[in-house]
Amino acid sequence: MSQDAAGDATSEGDLRNTGMSLRHDREWDYELERIIEEIEEKDAKKVGLQFPEGLKRRGPAVADDLRALAPDDVTFMLSGQPCYGACDLDTFLMRRTDVFVHFGHSPMKNSDKIIYVPLFSNVDPFPMMEEALEELPEDDVGLVTTAQHMNLFDDMKEWLEGEGYDVHTRKGDDRLTHEGQVLGCNYASADIDADQVLYVGGGKFHPLGLAMEHPDKKVVICDPVNNVVTVADTEKFMKQRYGAVHRAMDAEKWGVIFCTKIGQGRWEMAEKIVDENENAYLITMDEVTPDRLRNFDMDAFVNTGCPRITTDDGPQFHKPMLTPGEYEIAVGNKPLDELSFDTFHGTW
Amino acid sequence: MSQDAAGDATSEGDLRNTGMSLRHDREWDYELERIIEEIEEKDAKKVGLQFPEGLKRRGPAVADDLRALAPDDVTFMLSGQPCYGACDLDTFLMRRTDVFVHFGHSPMKNSDKIIYVPLFSNVDPFPMMEEALEELPEDDVGLVTTAQHMNLFDDMKEWLEGEGYDVHTRKGDDRLTHEGQVLGCNYASADIDADQVLYVGGGKFHPLGLAMEHPDKKVVICDPVNNVVTVADTEKFMKQRYGAVHRAMDAEKWGVIFCTKIGQGRWEMAEKIVDENENAYLITMDEVTPDRLRNFDMDAFVNTGCPRITTDDGPQFHKPMLTPGEYEIAVGNKPLDELSFDTFHGTW
């Protein structure tokens, strides 16, 4: 099946939103009762609700349902900040509310104040997994998925074993909550002893990162949301990366971005670059956007924040934007063949 | 002289950037020595620099100059956050630096950690003030200007008195630093006993706010930056405001925006609206943009943050956006003829 069959609503090369062109209607369990219990237990008066971009539109209805159940004197507040992961908590709202509910992502780090509501998918992955088998000819297979499908992870593993596979799974590092879970910035769960990995989940955002991080493995995408099976192809991305590195080789003035989002900061990395390069300038911001960087007269940028902004949105910026590893290549500290995906470790 | 002669780079009706199409080269005094003294006195290791949008591009060169003067172990950090006033401090950077320098705005509230560098203009206002006299036929005249021209305010007043005028000036409320100063959101300095007010400064952003706030006064714009004299005409804006109010009258679901920027929050106002309207939802964010609001399925919005986003950017949003006063009209709590400019008082 061709990649086009995935029904991407986004333009080619822009893979940020591929998970959002849904063929199936999804029903989510917002775990209202667990939230209400916590509100009552803490006698909370201000409650913050944060949804990822694709679900923000559901926010008011969830607030309605909670209002109907909660004591009258509770004020619910919806976060209007962009949100792209558990790395991206609305810390302003969190500080100013008694209970803060973060929907759609698994905990990157637990806190008494935060309720994480995972929003598990109700999609049945097994029919598409059946189709994916023909792309998995070897006996050993890795299995990974996203937070949305974690509720079925053990069943998926068992199913594959029933098909005769030796299934390799792993809990990544402490940035990840669950065994077999991947994030857009971390594929440590695929550091397993198999040359083929089955990714089960919606869209290509995660499996393309996985394939960039593990270029030696065949990454089979089983997408039960859009009903497609494909094999991850990173060629376009890798060409963009090499292109960006080469264009940045002549740069004199470097903007070094330190992202202020709670789970996207790598301060030592940013400070080291600035300390060692007198033509480097430290720039801090939360949302890293083309508009904001256009204000700075730099020849190139190094992004120590979210690697997916660099990799996926890179071509939209007016000057080359590199990951910290790519920067080392561009300034001559490392050879070109060390170019690799920028994995993000740790929490905050 | 027609309004077009002002050489606006922006589209008609979008007056945010009119001060940025400059005919004169400006030279700024960044007060490097004052900053270095403070760094040395506090033995600061981390120094944050925040520039308004129009001057962000100068940031790296200012950082270079400061690096050359400061001890070697000082790290300078440039704020990459948008910045539209002293109401809009980069509180993340401020908290994480030993000294925080805010350029281009006068203090809204002083703090030991913040150095405000006002960046006074070197433009000579008097030739254009001479031209403005023919628009000022009465004996009494109010005089206002922006932070950039404050260094010449006393001279301007004296010059007008020399021309035979009775010059009325006033320090507004505690949101304003200087006698005769205006902000985009506060024109209390023009609450004076004169039917004509002379505004001296670049662009139309401030005088149009002034004319909306004081519709009974003739506001003469003396712009020594773009070399034009005009009379403020708010007709287009007022039509937009009435249009937005009327379109919002049928709204059922209201999004009530609470802005999280340090000097743009009006919590009681936002909470009151939400408490009294069961179809109102409180939404918190820092940058209030069309993209962010498009995520919420609302019929209309009330913006308790910066009134100029409502007034100047309003037409760019997909649903009507009202000021809190306009909201009261739209829901029938007040008559239409109470429509007025949304002045922002106080600090934080």
Side-chain angles (χ1 to χ4, degrees):
Chain A
M1 210 173 278
S2 79
Q3 290 202 9
D4 289 333
D8 290 349
T10 51
S11 62
E12 250 198 317
D14 176 359
L15 298 162
R16 287 167 301 167
N17 300 322
T18 48
M20 295 169 68
S21 56
L22 305 181
R23 295 271 167 85
H24 294 277
D25 234 21
R26 300 196 208 182
E27 284 295 322
W28 306 108
D29 174 7
Y30 296 101
E31 301 191 41
L32 303 182
E33 278 168 30
R34 181 157 71 98
I35 299 168
I36 294 293
E37 269 170 33
E38 189 89 355
I39 290 170
E40 288 176 347
E41 193 175 301
K42 290 197 171 158
D43 195 24
K45 299 299 173 214
K46 288 184 191 168
V47 177
L49 308 177
Q50 185 180 28
F51 293 85
E53 295 313 283
L55 290 171
K56 273 206 164 55
R57 157 170 304 266
R58 315 274 184 118
V62 174
D64 280 343
D65 290 347
L66 287 169
R67 280 187 203 174
L69 297 167
D72 274 355
D73 59 350
V74 177
T75 301
F76 290 93
M77 300 158 79
L78 296 161
S79 170
Q81 292 296 106
C83 175
Y84 300 104
C87 55
D88 196 3
L89 301 177
D90 185 340
T91 50
F92 181 97
L93 192 53
M94 191 164 64
R95 277 196 301 270
R96 280 155 188 83
T97 45
D98 308 311
V99 164
F100 178 77
V101 190
H102 183 87
F103 292 92
H105 302 115
S106 66
M108 192 162 284
K109 190 170 174 175
N110 280 304
S111 136
D112 267 1
K113 196 184 227 177
I114 311 171
I115 303 177
Y116 292 91
V117 176
L119 301 184
F120 293 124
S121 173
N122 63 344
V123 168
D124 175 6
F126 298 105
M128 291 315 293
M129 283 176 72
E130 179 87 43
E131 279 198 30
L133 296 184
E134 67 187 55
E135 293 288 359
L136 299 166
E138 298 179 21
D139 292 339
D140 294 276
V141 65
L143 175 65
V144 297
T145 185
T146 61
Q148 268 68 55
H149 302 277
M150 264 304 147
N151 52 332
L152 292 179
F153 187 72
D154 290 341
D155 294 346
M156 293 177 199
K157 187 175 177 182
E158 210 171 284
W159 186 91
L160 282 172
E161 284 166 349
E163 295 290 327
Y165 287 95
D166 189 357
V167 185
H168 299 253
T169 63
R170 178 168 189 266
K171 179 177 180 306
D173 57 27
D174 60 354
R175 197 167 175 83
L176 297 147
T177 315
H178 305 289
E179 171 116 2
Q181 183 185 5
V182 290
L183 297 175
C185 59
N186 188 309
Y187 300 93
S189 60
D191 281 335
I192 39 84
D193 193 22
D195 295 332
Q196 54 186 13
V197 179
L198 179 64
Y199 161 86
V200 181
K204 292 180 188 159
F205 175 80
H206 291 95
L208 278 170
L210 170 50
M212 284 191 280
E213 167 78 3
H214 296 284
D216 49 320
K217 296 187 197 298
K218 178 181 184 182
V219 176
V220 178
I221 307 172
C222 165
D223 182 341
V225 181
N226 299 295
N227 274 348
V228 280
V229 172
T230 50
V231 176
D233 178 2
T234 62
E235 191 189 347
K236 181 194 295 279
F237 274 88
M238 293 315 292
K239 281 183 179 164
Q240 283 176 358
R241 298 324 308 148
Y242 281 107
V245 170
H246 279 97
R247 280 184 296 127
M249 282 179 177
D250 296 328
E252 286 182 14
K253 287 169 73 178
W254 287 87
V256 182
I257 299 162
F258 174 77
C259 178
T260 60
K261 292 187 175 192
I262 188 169
Q264 296 185 16
R266 291 187 284 192
W267 173 255
E268 289 75 16
M269 199 178 263
E271 199 174 35
K272 184 168 179 289
I273 296 171
V274 173
D275 282 349
E276 293 176 359
N277 183 341
E278 64 176 15
N279 292 311
Y281 302 84
L282 196 55
I283 302 170
T284 65
M285 56 181 67
D286 54 4
E287 302 299 323
V288 180
T289 64
D291 265 11
R292 292 188 179 185
L293 293 194
R294 205 173 279 279
N295 284 322
F296 294 97
D297 182 26
M298 297 285 147
D299 301 318
F301 294 93
V302 197
N303 180 16
T304 65
C306 174
R308 298 310 290 265
I309 290 176
T310 314
T311 309
D312 299 34
D313 300 356
Q316 300 178 35
F317 290 84
H318 72 301
K319 290 292 168 65
M321 183 189 286
L322 306 188
T323 66
E326 291 166 349
Y327 165 81
E328 295 297 332
I329 295 170
V331 298
N333 293 344
K334 285 187 180 174
L336 190 60
D337 62 12
E338 287 198 18
L339 194 145
S340 63
F341 184 71
D342 180 25
T343 298
F344 206 121
H345 300 286
T347 60
W348 55 84
Chain B
M1 209 174 281
S2 80
Q3 291 202 8
D4 290 333
D8 290 349
T10 51
S11 62
E12 250 199 317
D14 175 0
L15 298 162
R16 286 168 301 165
N17 300 322
T18 47
M20 294 168 67
S21 57
L22 305 182
R23 294 272 168 85
H24 293 278
D25 234 21
R26 296 198 209 180
E27 284 295 321
W28 306 107
D29 175 7
Y30 295 101
E31 301 192 42
L32 304 182
E33 278 168 30
R34 180 156 71 98
I35 298 168
I36 294 293
E37 269 171 33
E38 190 89 354
I39 290 171
E40 289 176 346
E41 193 176 300
K42 290 196 171 156
D43 195 24
K45 301 297 174 216
K46 287 185 191 168
V47 178
L49 307 176
Q50 185 180 30
F51 293 84
E53 295 313 282
L55 290 171
K56 273 207 166 54
R57 159 169 304 266
R58 314 275 184 120
V62 174
D64 281 341
D65 290 347
L66 287 168
R67 279 188 204 175
L69 296 167
D72 274 355
D73 59 349
V74 177
T75 301
F76 290 93
M77 300 159 79
L78 296 162
S79 170
Q81 293 296 106
C83 174
Y84 299 104
C87 54
D88 195 2
L89 300 177
D90 184 340
T91 50
F92 180 96
L93 192 53
M94 190 164 67
R95 276 197 300 271
R96 280 155 188 84
T97 45
D98 308 309
V99 163
F100 179 77
V101 191
H102 183 88
F103 292 91
H105 302 114
S106 65
M108 191 162 283
K109 190 169 173 177
N110 280 303
S111 135
D112 267 359
K113 197 186 228 175
I114 310 172
I115 303 177
Y116 291 91
V117 175
L119 301 183
F120 292 124
S121 172
N122 64 343
V123 168
D124 175 6
F126 298 105
M128 292 315 293
M129 284 176 72
E130 179 86 45
E131 279 196 31
L133 295 184
E134 68 188 54
E135 293 286 0
L136 299 165
E138 298 179 22
D139 293 338
D140 293 274
V141 65
L143 175 65
V144 298
T145 185
T146 62
Q148 269 67 56
H149 302 277
M150 263 304 147
N151 52 332
L152 292 179
F153 188 72
D154 289 341
D155 294 345
M156 293 176 198
K157 186 175 179 184
E158 208 169 286
W159 186 90
L160 282 171
E161 284 166 349
E163 294 292 326
Y165 287 96
D166 190 357
V167 185
H168 300 253
T169 63
R170 179 167 188 267
K171 179 176 179 308
D173 57 28
D174 61 355
R175 196 167 174 82
L176 298 148
T177 317
H178 304 287
E179 170 114 5
Q181 183 186 5
V182 290
L183 298 175
C185 59
N186 188 307
Y187 299 93
S189 60
D191 280 335
I192 40 84
D193 194 23
D195 295 331
Q196 55 186 13
V197 179
L198 179 64
Y199 162 85
V200 180
K204 292 179 188 160
F205 174 80
H206 290 96
L208 278 169
L210 170 51
M212 284 191 280
E213 166 78 4
H214 296 283
D216 48 321
K217 295 188 198 296
K218 177 182 186 181
V219 176
V220 178
I221 307 172
C222 165
D223 183 340
V225 181
N226 299 295
N227 273 349
V228 281
V229 171
T230 51
V231 176
D233 178 2
T234 62
E235 191 189 347
K236 178 193 298 278
F237 274 87
M238 294 315 293
K239 282 183 177 163
Q240 283 176 358
R241 299 323 309 150
Y242 282 107
V245 170
H246 279 97
R247 280 185 295 130
M249 282 176 175
D250 296 327
E252 286 182 13
K253 287 170 72 178
W254 287 88
V256 182
I257 299 162
F258 174 76
C259 178
T260 60
K261 292 188 176 195
I262 187 168
Q264 296 185 16
R266 291 188 283 193
W267 174 256
E268 288 77 17
M269 199 177 263
E271 199 174 34
K272 184 168 180 287
I273 295 171
V274 174
D275 283 349
E276 294 177 358
N277 183 340
E278 65 176 16
N279 292 310
Y281 301 84
L282 195 56
I283 302 170
T284 64
M285 57 181 67
D286 54 3
E287 301 299 323
V288 180
T289 65
D291 265 12
R292 293 188 179 185
L293 294 194
R294 205 174 279 278
N295 284 323
F296 295 96
D297 182 26
M298 297 285 147
D299 301 318
F301 294 92
V302 197
N303 181 16
T304 65
C306 174
R308 298 310 290 265
I309 289 176
T310 314
T311 309
D312 299 35
D313 300 355
Q316 300 177 36
F317 290 84
H318 71 302
K319 290 291 167 65
M321 183 188 286
L322 306 188
T323 66
E326 291 166 350
Y327 164 82
E328 295 296 333
I329 295 170
V331 297
N333 294 344
K334 285 187 179 174
L336 191 59
D337 62 11
E338 286 198 19
L339 194 144
S340 64
F341 184 72
D342 179 25
T343 298
F344 205 120
H345 299 286
T347 60
W348 55 82

